[in-house]
Amino acid sequence: DGGITQSPKYLFRKEGQNVTLSCEQNLNHDAMYWYRQDPGQGLRLIYYSQIVNDFQKGDIAEGYSVSREKKESFPLTVTSAQKNPTAFYLCASSIGGVYTFGSGTRLTVV
Amino acid sequence: DAKTTQPTSMDCAEGRAANLPCNHSTISGNEYVYWYRQIHSQGPQYIIHGLKNNETNEMASLIITEDRKSSTLILPHATLRDTAVYYCIVRALAYGNKLVFGAGTILRVKS
């Protein structure tokens, strides 16, 4: 079945460390997105990419970086510059305005 | 993209229809109305979308008023598994546009 795979499901990071969250899709969608969700809050856009080798900052890009070297993959790196990284991270892809989301990665800083 | 207003929470009895309202009084002519839902600790799931005509699929029906300033998502026979946060989003179908999520409506289906 086509879909979006995010890994790992749970991730623990020590303060000061960079960590990369994986997002892979086999839907052949051009556009991909990363959202962050804090407890009891809505989703906030971190980065998005409309096409391979191109991406744009969303509303809360500081402390994050992305790459889009392949259509299928859109990894997100949470850097040590992100002051409050503990959150639920969601990856999505879209075509024609309809988004498909992954099951998320829950990142905890310890 | 136009802003939407939804009630914070709603309750519905199992087996009854759940009617979730959404106001989008500043919607533009080229903006669609999208509905997504998010079950606890999962990614959002697409439900339905429409421009000006009423729409129905296997999950729900979408009723858009004639002036397009409001809409209602209808789950015809709510089950406990429909308990979730429901997001109403208006968005133009154009290259580069993104989904912007508000707080949504928490729907609690009770037995």
Side-chain angles (χ1 to χ4, degrees):
Chain A
D1 287 336
I4 294 191
T5 301
Q6 289 188 243
S7 61
K9 189 172 180 66
Y10 298 95
L11 187 58
F12 296 89
R13 190 196 90 174
K14 292 183 179 179
E15 283 194 36
Q17 285 183 338
N18 294 353
V19 64
T20 298
L21 282 60
S22 171
C23 177
E24 303 280 334
Q25 56 105 351
N26 60 3
L27 300 165
N28 200 34
H29 289 172
D30 284 319
M32 297 188 73
Y33 310 81
W34 275 105
Y35 287 87
R36 168 182 172 142
Q37 188 172 36
D38 293 287
Q41 305 294 317
L43 282 70
R44 292 184 291 166
L45 183 65
I46 305 173
Y47 267 99
Y48 64 103
S49 168
Q50 298 289 339
I51 199 167
V52 173
N53 292 322
D54 186 49
F55 49 83
Q56 286 80 40
K57 294 181 179 179
D59 300 318
I60 55 165
E62 184 175 353
Y64 299 97
S65 66
V66 294
S67 63
R68 187 84 187 278
E69 299 175 1
K70 298 187 301 182
K71 188 175 187 177
E72 302 79 17
S73 179
F74 191 40
L76 174 73
T77 297
V78 184
T79 74
S80 57
Q82 170 49 237
K83 298 305 179 187
N84 187 21
T86 294
F88 187 47
Y89 291 87
L90 286 156
C91 178
S93 68
S94 73
I95 187 166
V98 176
Y99 283 44
T100 301
F101 283 82
S103 56
T105 293
R106 194 167 297 279
L107 173 65
T108 303
V109 173
V110 297
Chain B
D1 291 336
K3 185 177 178 180
T4 62
T5 303
Q6 299 178 251
T8 301
S9 64
M10 296 181 63
D11 291 338
C12 177
E14 189 178 21
R16 304 298 293 268
N19 298 285
L20 291 89
C22 180
N23 286 322
H24 32 80
S25 58
T26 60
I27 192 169
S28 301
N30 65 340
E31 288 182 315
Y32 287 72
V33 179
Y34 291 83
W35 283 85
Y36 285 77
R37 73 179 183 184
Q38 186 177 23
I39 295 170
H40 184 62
S41 294
Q42 297 182 22
Q45 175 191 23
Y46 165 80
I47 302 173
I48 199 167
H49 74 284
L51 183 62
K52 54 183 178 181
N53 297 321
N54 298 337
E55 302 287 344
T56 296
N57 63 20
E58 64 278 5
M59 290 184 67
S61 294
L62 174 61
I63 309 298
I64 302 174
T65 57
E66 193 168 340
D67 64 6
R68 303 209 323 123
K69 294 186 177 182
S70 66
S71 60
T72 301
L73 179 74
I74 301 172
L75 308 178
H77 305 286
T79 71
L80 298 178
R81 289 176 294 180
D82 292 322
T83 292
V85 179
Y86 287 76
Y87 298 99
C88 170
I89 302 167
V90 292
R91 173 187 177 274
L93 195 67
Y95 185 83
N97 279 355
K98 303 102 37 204
L99 281 183
V100 177
F101 288 80
T105 295
I106 300 170
L107 175 68
R108 300 184 187 92
V109 180
K110 299 183 176 181
S111 58

